[in-house]
Amino acid sequence: MITIVSPEDALANATPAPLTDETTIILADDFTFTPSSLSAPAGSFIRLLNKGVLEHHFVVDDWNMNVTVPPGESTVIRVPGDRAPGTSFTFYC
């Protein structure tokens, strides 16, 4: 689950390190994501890091997104900039 937050809320809740404009989601071979949910401002970046040996997909239907991440590689996606704070979107493999 990705919940959209305002940039101010993201900064206020950043711990322990200051917020950067990129968050990382790790994809594992048991088809889990770490973290399994997160908050991100609209327009921010999310790095998808495949630490497994299998190809993985990252799908967010509401964003018309289906990204393939080969084993041992990463890719960066962008949260659509027109998403309102407080909205949530489900992601899956």
Side-chain angles (χ1 to χ4, degrees):
M1 180 74 61
I2 299 172
T3 301
I4 306 301
V5 295
S6 69
E8 296 79 15
D9 286 340
L11 285 172
N13 295 320
T15 58
L19 179 72
T20 64
D21 61 352
E22 182 179 286
T23 302
T24 299
I25 297 176
I26 297 172
L27 293 72
D29 283 343
D30 59 358
F31 300 103
T32 60
F33 297 98
T34 305
S36 59
S37 64
L38 59 102
S39 297
S44 64
F45 296 95
I46 299 173
R47 179 171 298 279
L48 306 173
L49 176 60
N50 184 348
K51 288 195 170 184
V53 296
L54 302 174
E55 177 178 273
H56 291 282
H57 296 270
F58 181 85
V59 180
V60 183
D61 291 330
D62 293 316
W63 300 350
N64 294 319
M65 179 179 291
N66 185 341
V67 177
T68 302
V69 185
E73 295 189 21
S74 70
T75 191
V76 176
I77 62 166
R78 188 165 194 173
V79 177
D82 61 349
R83 303 307 185 210
T87 55
S88 295
F89 303 92
T90 301
F91 62 87
Y92 62 94
C93 184

